[in-house]
Amino acid sequence: MVKILEGVRVVEGAAFVAAPLAGMTLAQMGADVIRFDRLRGGLDYSRWPLTENGRSLFWAGLNKGKRSIAVDMATPQGQEIITRLIVGEGTGDDGIYLTNLRVRGWMSYEELSKKRKDLIMMMILGDRHGGPQVDYTINPAVGFPSATGPEGLANPVGHVLPAWDCITGQQAALGILAAKRHRRKHGVGQLVELALKDMALSILGNLGIIGEMTLNGEEREKIGNSLYGAYAQDFVCKCGERIMVIGLTERQWKNLKKATGTMEVFNDLAAELGADLSLEGERYLHRHAITEKLKPFFDSVSVKDIAKKFDDLGVTWSVYKTFKQAVETDPDISADNPMFTRLHHPGIGTYLTPGNPISFSNAERVEPRRAPALGENTEEILHEIGYSGGQIAKFYDDKVVASAG
């Protein structure tokens, strides 16, 4: 079997999360993704988290499976190298360019497309006007922090997960493949633009929130760890561990009642409230009353007491963990999961490294590959785009390019 994206080549000039994540997503499905950087590394080359010796685990995480070329793009020779690389001059390569950098002049779509008319350029922006935005400025602007946090808290609460970056990265990978399909059918390339803020606003609308605010006009309240529109709640068990239980669907709600021995309790509560608790919206409206009825059960049991019973009865639940606890105890973070491989990262260490989570029945799963060292593939890439040994040697002598180490 072949890898699902074998034969696709993408050139990436990017930093931070969204664009590198898009490139990595394609690489982990078999595409040849070549990342170019300055000689000293890009803006994210030393981004936290770091190892004790200062190596970036962020870089290692988001550049897996790519190849790296380091070039001084302030020089005419460096600009020529990157131009030839992007447009695939003389190589028959795909001519696909992924970036979130501020491109102008020789690196703009207008200039590059003169060299290759069917060039595909995926440009990730902050906002649609080209303004500088990042996940941590967009999230406050679209309202989610105002609805996040404990009930009654006045201050907004941000989120540690850069959700808009992650969603944008996945959407950018999809956009590249869509543009490639369009080019195959119609023979034309194009500039594809995706703004981080538009990605967030689209989700705001897709989840019904724009319609809710427009038509109902009421702000979302903070509801702590509850689930808006249905029932979910965290409880602290007798052992001190905190768990989350879900009653989103009618089946989940029924299984939770069965596992906690509260069938009759909630029949009585429903009659008392005049509510139909088989409806998720009713469970949300009466969440505080439901929680009061469930609390004595969780106060009296430890996680060890209920774990097997909950699993056997199909309860949807989990235990709250720290990052460290998750890595150390989750059975799915293991070599038994085909997504993971225990991989050595030179200069960093050996640890379980994920590949792409998608499994294709008729395509080979791409084994996780480490991120390259900065400039690790410089010489081989220069050969691939048509430079002679003598030209390459001069580039090194003139410090136009560099290799790892």
Side-chain angles (χ1 to χ4, degrees):
M1 289 190 293
V2 297
K3 301 174 180 67
I4 200 78
L5 292 183
E6 191 169 326
V8 175
R9 175 175 283 191
V10 177
V11 176
E12 175 191 313
F16 303 123
V17 179
L21 178 63
M24 187 197 70
T25 299
L26 299 171
Q28 289 192 321
M29 288 192 282
D32 178 20
V33 178
I34 299 173
R35 172 169 176 147
F36 65 83
D37 281 292
R38 298 175 297 184
L39 299 183
R40 65 180 180 278
L43 297 170
D44 55 354
Y45 186 57
S46 300
R47 197 176 188 203
W48 284 26
L50 305 175
T51 63
E52 288 184 356
N53 63 355
R55 296 290 296 271
S56 173
L57 290 161
F58 178 91
W59 167 275
L62 281 173
N63 291 292
K64 295 188 295 293
K66 301 175 187 176
R67 294 195 289 162
S68 171
I69 180 171
V71 181
D72 182 357
M73 288 167 279
T75 65
Q77 301 98 314
Q79 293 173 12
E80 177 194 282
I81 289 169
I82 297 304
T83 299
R84 288 179 65 163
L85 179 62
I86 290 171
V87 302
E89 189 171 312
T91 67
D93 286 337
D94 272 331
I96 300 174
Y97 176 33
L98 164 66
T99 189
N100 66 333
L101 305 177
R102 294 187 68 183
V103 293
R104 58 186 64 156
W106 68 274
M107 206 187 286
S108 68
Y109 175 74
E110 289 74 21
E111 291 301 315
L112 290 170
S113 61
K114 292 176 183 176
K115 308 274 186 185
R116 178 166 180 160
K117 294 190 181 303
D118 67 347
L119 176 73
I120 293 170
M121 178 171 170
M122 166 58 75
M123 179 72 199
I124 297 177
L125 307 168
D127 63 35
R128 65 190 180 90
H129 308 290
Q133 295 287 340
V134 297
D135 199 290
Y136 300 98
T137 57
I138 287 170
N139 202 43
V142 299
F144 282 90
S146 69
T148 302
E151 290 189 43
L153 181 71
N155 294 335
V157 176
H159 200 295
V160 69
L161 173 71
W164 308 123
D165 276 331
C166 295
I167 298 168
T168 299
Q170 300 296 313
Q171 190 80 347
L174 176 61
I176 286 171
L177 297 179
K180 181 174 170 58
R181 181 181 184 276
H182 184 268
R183 183 174 66 183
R184 187 175 70 247
K185 291 190 71 174
H186 303 287
V188 294
Q190 58 193 301
L191 173 63
V192 187
E193 292 184 325
L194 173 58
L196 202 65
K197 186 175 181 182
D198 279 352
M199 189 73 255
L201 293 175
S202 73
I203 297 297
L204 198 70
N206 296 341
L207 295 178
I209 298 173
I210 291 177
E212 177 190 8
M213 296 302 111
T214 302
L215 302 176
N216 298 344
E218 294 182 2
E219 286 284 10
R220 285 272 187 100
E221 57 186 339
K222 292 181 188 292
I223 56 173
N225 289 331
S226 296
L227 170 63
Y228 179 76
Y231 187 74
Q233 192 59 56
D234 59 321
F235 292 92
V236 178
C237 293
K238 181 181 178 182
C239 59
E241 289 195 86
R242 185 180 296 271
I243 69 170
M244 170 63 77
V245 295
I246 305 292
L248 172 61
T249 67
E250 188 173 0
R251 181 177 181 179
Q252 289 172 341
W253 172 237
K254 181 180 178 181
N255 291 346
L256 177 60
K257 291 187 293 181
K258 190 183 300 183
T260 55
T262 54
M263 285 286 197
E264 289 304 317
V265 169
F266 285 111
N267 288 341
D268 293 343
L269 180 64
E272 178 187 330
L273 296 171
D276 183 355
L277 295 181
S278 69
L279 302 176
E280 61 187 73
E282 290 285 286
R283 293 194 292 276
Y284 174 71
L285 292 174
H286 300 291
R287 63 191 182 280
H288 295 301
I290 292 172
T291 297
E292 284 304 308
K293 296 297 183 182
L294 287 172
K295 189 174 184 299
F297 172 83
F298 291 106
D299 285 344
S300 67
V301 297
S302 68
V303 169
K304 194 170 11 178
D305 297 331
I306 62 172
K308 187 175 187 310
K309 181 180 182 182
F310 273 27
D311 288 343
D312 289 347
L313 290 174
V315 176
T316 305
W317 74 294
S318 67
V319 178
Y320 278 83
K321 298 178 181 179
T322 64
F323 290 144
K324 189 171 188 293
Q325 289 170 333
V327 170
E328 291 178 347
T329 66
D330 193 317
D332 288 323
I333 305 178
S334 73
D336 291 335
N337 185 337
M339 181 179 72
F340 283 103
T341 296
R342 188 168 295 281
L343 202 60
H344 179 67
H345 301 258
I348 293 178
T350 302
Y351 52 89
L352 283 169
T353 304
N356 195 286
I358 301 174
S359 177
F360 297 94
S361 66
N362 282 307
E364 180 183 347
R365 189 165 200 150
V366 180
E367 287 291 316
R369 294 171 292 155
R370 64 172 176 81
L374 179 66
E376 180 173 339
N377 313 103
T378 296
E379 187 170 351
E380 70 185 60
I381 292 168
L382 290 172
H383 275 297
E384 288 173 5
I385 59 177
Y387 289 106
S388 67
Q391 288 173 306
I392 293 170
K394 190 169 189 329
F395 288 149
Y396 278 104
D397 289 342
D398 294 342
K399 294 184 170 45
V400 172
V401 301
S403 293

